[in-house]
Amino acid sequence: DAGITQSPRHKVTETGTPVTLRCHQTENHRYMYWYRQDPGHGLRLIHYSYGVKDTDKGEVSDGYSVSRSKTEDFLLTLESATSSQTSVYFCAITWDREETQYFGPGTRLLVL
Amino acid sequence: SQQGEEDPQALSIQEGENATMNCSYKTSINNLQWYRQNSGRGLVHLILIRSNEREKHSGRLRVTLDTSKKSSSLLITASRAADTASYFCATDAPSNTGKLIFGQGTTLQVKP
């Protein structure tokens, strides 16, 4: 998996609680992405980062925030989880924005 | 907004047959990528084809790109049961930020 891990791999939480997902890479890649995958929607980009402390919004960023204080870690936070955020979350990395993206194994999040 | 749209949504074939999946997109691109996802797993990159390329091969995979028709096809020859998976095309957004826009995927079942 190209030296990319996600934690936790599974999480069940309750509506209104904060949740943080972590993406960790050992490849020293500059670009990191968070996607969510839902039936009927494919993968949709939530946020991405093009360097330490440099982040930007994707297609479905409402309700999510991100932080990247180190090259290797990209955190996705749901400030107050809602049932609509139940999904599978994938992190991806790439060394160049015009090149292949490598995906982590995913985090299954269930918000009750 | 969906950029890549795959066709068919589902495909079932016998082992040894060829499988063809198509992808259409709406705006200009720098490159188009195909990914495979086995059930419950992350995405695995198959092929990247750039806008100035028309055809690319990788083992039993053949990808074509027709920028005039804004379409691409993925051909898997001599399919195997292990090819059973979902296949996604992804295009880079015109803003050239490295953002990928995924289609909803084609689910391929290869029967032994």
Side-chain angles (χ1 to χ4, degrees), chain A residues 29-72:
Chain A
H29 285 349
R30 176 181 176 186
Y31 298 89
M32 300 184 76
Y33 304 83
W34 276 107
Y35 296 88
R36 61 178 288 174
Q37 184 176 32
D38 305 287
H41 288 280
L43 277 84
R44 292 178 292 174
L45 181 66
I46 305 171
H47 280 280
Y48 70 103
S49 170
Y50 45 95
V52 174
K53 291 187 170 56
D54 292 323
T55 64
D56 204 350
K57 296 178 180 179
E59 181 186 359
V60 289
S61 59
D62 287 348
Y64 302 94
S65 62
V66 290
S67 66
R68 192 170 178 199
S69 59
K70 300 184 292 184
T71 298
E72 58 266 35

Side-chain angles (χ1 to χ4, degrees), chain B residues 11-19 76 79 108-112:
Chain B
L11 182 60
S12 181
I13 59 175
Q14 295 294 136
E15 214 167 21
E17 295 180 338
N18 295 342
I76 304 174
S79 63
L108 172 66
Q109 181 184 30
V110 181
K111 300 175 184 176

Side-chain angles (χ1 to χ4, degrees), chain A residues 11-37:
Chain A
K11 186 169 183 65
V12 179
T13 191
E14 294 185 349
T15 298
T17 59
V19 176
T20 295
L21 309 182
R22 180 187 184 222
C23 177
H24 178 76
Q25 59 143 331
T26 58
E27 306 296 321
N28 201 35
H29 285 349
R30 176 181 176 186
Y31 298 89
M32 300 184 76
Y33 304 83
W34 276 107
Y35 296 88
R36 61 178 288 174
Q37 184 176 32

Side-chain angles (χ1 to χ4, degrees), chain B residues 1-5 23-33 49-51 65-72 89-97 99-102:
Chain B
S1 61
Q2 217 72 31
Q3 168 81 309
E5 296 289 342
C23 171
S24 60
Y25 57 92
K26 298 175 184 174
T27 63
S28 63
I29 61 172
N30 293 311
N31 65 60
L32 184 145
Q33 304 182 42
I49 186 166
R50 302 192 190 279
S51 59
L65 179 64
D66 187 335
T67 53
S68 67
K69 295 181 180 179
K70 291 186 170 60
S71 67
S72 173
C89 69
T91 54
D92 64 328
S95 57
N96 196 29
T97 56
K99 299 178 188 180
L100 288 182
I101 303 176
F102 285 81

Side-chain angles (χ1 to χ4, degrees), chain B residues 52-86:
Chain B
N52 61 353
E53 298 174 309
R54 291 297 168 258
E55 188 170 313
K56 218 166 179 181
H57 296 257
S58 176
R60 295 183 295 111
L61 307 180
R62 172 179 168 249
V63 168
T64 61
L65 179 64
D66 187 335
T67 53
S68 67
K69 295 181 180 179
K70 291 186 170 60
S71 67
S72 173
S73 67
L74 169 67
L75 169 67
I76 304 174
T77 60
S79 63
R80 306 166 181 168
D83 294 327
T84 294
S86 293

Side-chain angles (χ1 to χ4, degrees), chain B residues 32-59:
Chain B
L32 184 145
Q33 304 182 42
W34 284 92
Y35 289 83
R36 184 187 75 221
Q37 184 180 35
N38 291 88
S39 181
R41 307 292 295 273
L43 278 74
V44 174
H45 180 257
L46 296 176
I47 289 184
L48 181 153
I49 186 166
R50 302 192 190 279
S51 59
N52 61 353
E53 298 174 309
R54 291 297 168 258
E55 188 170 313
K56 218 166 179 181
H57 296 257
S58 176

